[in-house]
Amino acid sequence: MKAMILAAGKGTRVRPITYTIPKPLIPILHKPVMEFLVDLLKQHGFTEIMVNVSHLAKEIESYFHDGQRFGVQIAYSFEGTIRENGELEGQALGSAGGMRRIQDFYPFFDDTFVVLCGDALIDLDLTAAVKWHKEKGSLATIVTKSVPRDEVSSYGVVVTDDNGRVQAFQEKPTVEEALSTNINTGIYIFEPEVLNYIPSGQEYDIGGDLFPKLVEMGAPFYAISMDFQWVDIGKVPDYWQAIRSVLMGEVKNVPIPGIQVAPGIYTGINVAVNWDKVDITGPVYIGGMTKIEDGAKITGPATIGRNCHICAGAHIDNSVIFEYSRIASDVTLTDKLVFGRYCVDKDGATIDVQASSLDWLITDTRQPMEAIAKRSALAAKFVAQVFESEETPITLR
């Protein structure tokens, strides 16, 4: 069977991560979110997968290649152009426009097919969903999920009649205005004929353009509400929460990698740490080739990426630290995500430590220690002068 993964978006709401990592490759404890989707599709017999790419397309194609190592076949539809200097410039066509572009190239979708957004962890029974779709004689089906009423204002709401036929949509309605608690999960089942209602060569969205058109036409367009786990990674706070949920054991089929060296503490290989001289409370994952100096403290849920360096006196609390990050001595990070030169709080507010002249607090482990030590000494002298103390810890909250 055939499927499509939508992977062409820029992921602006997940910046700064998506400056260098395309959204489908955002790691959930070292495994890209899109790889979980490929695994799910394979499990349910969808082994021919089209992926539309645009922003950082090369990274996605280089990781998945033709899909052989994942037991499936994968092909790509690039949306954009190539500049005179040889660089790729993404020009996404929208979710529906991307589907139509593939079909215009050569008719790939010749039977019932599934479309998944490439930014969510799901454990959906796709086989049951497709069976329901066919029994209904549906042209298009949305898989929805019921959420508590006080959460509806964060999502797109799908309104149906008693038979499941889609009647209307509400985009992030207030609790009082919401006509349903079933939300759009970005999981769709289509018949090939739906492509006849998508114009060629222009930007066209599934939710914003195609679905309202189907409702207006009175097409056999349904929604099925299913009980399944759905972890959306639409924004930085969502990603932060997803990592936390995985570490807390709340996400099925996503085990913590590495070896459990103590209750709730997992590591990759060759982690440099004296366990009796650090204070680590799980759940915590520490990537391979990371150094934790004596006197450091890590309070979970927290992840420390591979090749990191947590200096003496540093305290990592309920935070996500990406690879090659060095956290200076006596720095406290609480509810933070550290990605390169950026420090992001759980609400999405971002500090560029380099632009803020704070790049001595968070540095790259591949930088020479001599240069970092010089900057750190100057900064420590400044802090001591301001606070009249040589041992004032720096806290980012």
Side-chain angles (χ1 to χ4, degrees), residues 114 152 157 199 253 288 327 356 365:
V114 167
V152 292
V157 170
N253 303 319
I327 310 302
S356 304
T365 56

Side-chain angles (χ1 to χ4, degrees), residues 55-108:
H55 175 63
L56 298 176
K58 184 177 179 181
E59 281 76 1
I60 297 174
E61 294 183 36
S62 295
Y63 185 88
F64 288 97
H65 294 284
D66 62 1
Q68 282 191 51
R69 70 188 179 101
F70 304 101
V72 297
Q73 297 181 72
I74 297 177
Y76 305 90
S77 175
F78 175 68
E79 299 173 12
T81 61
I82 187 166
R83 298 172 181 167
E84 291 184 2
N85 62 6
E87 292 184 2
L88 297 178
E89 181 178 6
Q91 296 175 352
L93 292 171
S95 48
M99 290 163 50
R100 183 60 196 246
R101 186 180 188 278
I102 292 167
Q103 197 74 348
D104 285 345
F105 175 80
Y106 195 80
F108 173 74

Side-chain angles (χ1 to χ4, degrees), residues 240-305:
W240 182 86
Q241 184 58 48
I243 296 295
R244 177 185 172 92
S245 297
V246 170
L247 289 171
M248 297 293 287
E250 298 170 355
V251 181
K252 292 183 289 185
N253 303 319
V254 185
I256 300 175
I259 299 172
Q260 185 170 209
V261 296
I265 301 173
Y266 299 79
T267 73
I269 61 174
N270 209 37
V271 172
V273 57
N274 293 316
W275 294 107
D276 57 344
K277 295 183 179 180
V278 294
D279 183 0
I280 302 180
T281 305
V284 168
Y285 173 76
I286 303 171
M289 288 295 288
T290 282
K291 182 176 183 178
I292 313 292
E293 289 188 1
D294 296 353
K297 182 177 182 180
I298 304 173
T299 305
T303 66
I304 313 296

Side-chain angles (χ1 to χ4, degrees), residues 134-209:
K134 290 183 175 181
E135 289 174 348
K136 282 288 186 182
S138 182
L139 176 67
T141 297
I142 306 174
V143 176
T144 64
K145 179 178 174 62
S146 180
V147 299
R149 179 162 286 276
D150 60 0
E151 295 181 13
V152 292
S153 57
S154 297
Y155 303 101
V157 170
V158 182
V159 183
T160 66
D161 63 16
D162 293 340
N163 195 37
R165 195 159 188 148
V166 176
Q167 301 294 300
F169 298 93
Q170 293 179 294
E171 184 58 31
K172 298 181 179 178
T174 64
V175 172
E176 295 75 21
E177 294 171 337
L179 300 176
S180 168
T181 58
N182 290 327
I183 63 168
N184 184 351
T185 63
I187 303 168
Y188 312 121
I189 307 168
F190 293 117
E191 294 302 315
E193 291 75 20
V194 78
L195 297 160
N196 297 331
Y197 305 106
I198 302 172
S200 296
Q202 68 181 66
E203 188 172 334
Y204 208 73
D205 185 65
I206 290 175
D209 298 307

Side-chain angles (χ1 to χ4, degrees), residues 378-390 392 394:
L378 291 172
K381 183 178 180 180
F382 170 75
V383 171
Q385 289 173 345
V386 173
F387 294 99
E388 298 182 352
S389 169
E390 294 183 357
T392 302
I394 307 298

Side-chain angles (χ1 to χ4, degrees), residues 26-29 33 119-121 230-251 254 301 303 320:
I26 290 178
I28 304 297
L29 297 185
V33 62
D119 60 357
L121 290 174
W230 178 67
V231 182
D232 182 37
I233 308 176
K235 305 182 293 293
V236 168
D238 297 329
Y239 177 66
W240 182 86
Q241 184 58 48
I243 296 295
R244 177 185 172 92
S245 297
V246 170
L247 289 171
M248 297 293 287
E250 298 170 355
V251 181
V254 185
T303 66
V320 177

Side-chain angles (χ1 to χ4, degrees), residues 291-338:
K291 182 176 183 178
I292 313 292
E293 289 188 1
D294 296 353
K297 182 177 182 180
I298 304 173
T299 305
T303 66
I304 313 296
R306 55 184 170 79
N307 298 90
C308 287
H309 184 173
I310 310 300
C311 296
H315 182 193
I316 310 300
D317 180 11
N318 198 27
S319 296
V320 177
I321 312 298
F322 272 71
E323 63 268 17
Y324 290 104
S325 298
R326 179 186 288 109
I327 310 302
S329 296
D330 300 316
V331 170
T332 295
L333 294 174
T334 302
D335 298 341
K336 294 292 183 291
L337 181 149
V338 172

